[in-house]
Amino acid sequence: MRYRPLGRTGVQVSALSLGAMNFGANGRTTQENASAILDAALEVGIDTRPSIADASLRRR
């Protein structure tokens, strides 16, 4: 997996990330499928942090 800097934050994030809007109570993905998807993403090094949405990491 390739990692890149997130702006000037000093945080490294994977070139790919996992979108998870369909997970959880409002989503269409079952708990079993969501867990399998997350496990597969973590196994190959895909970033699963909500880093872009995290206000502490936004460009100032």
Side-chain angles (χ1 to χ4, degrees):
M1 179 59 56
R2 287 183 17 207
Y3 290 86
R4 299 177 179 172
L6 180 63
R8 296 178 288 191
T9 65
V11 175
Q12 294 287 315
V13 295
S14 62
L16 299 175
S17 65
L18 176 65
M21 283 186 66
N22 281 326
F23 295 0
N26 297 325
R28 295 178 236 184
T29 306
T30 66
Q31 177 66 43
E32 183 179 328
N33 287 341
S35 294
I37 291 167
L38 183 58
D39 288 344
L42 292 171
E43 186 175 311
V44 297
I46 292 177
D47 197 358
T48 58
R49 301 176 280 191
S51 56
I52 301 302
D54 185 339
S56 68
L57 298 178
R58 288 192 190 139
R59 185 191 236 167
R60 296 178 200 272

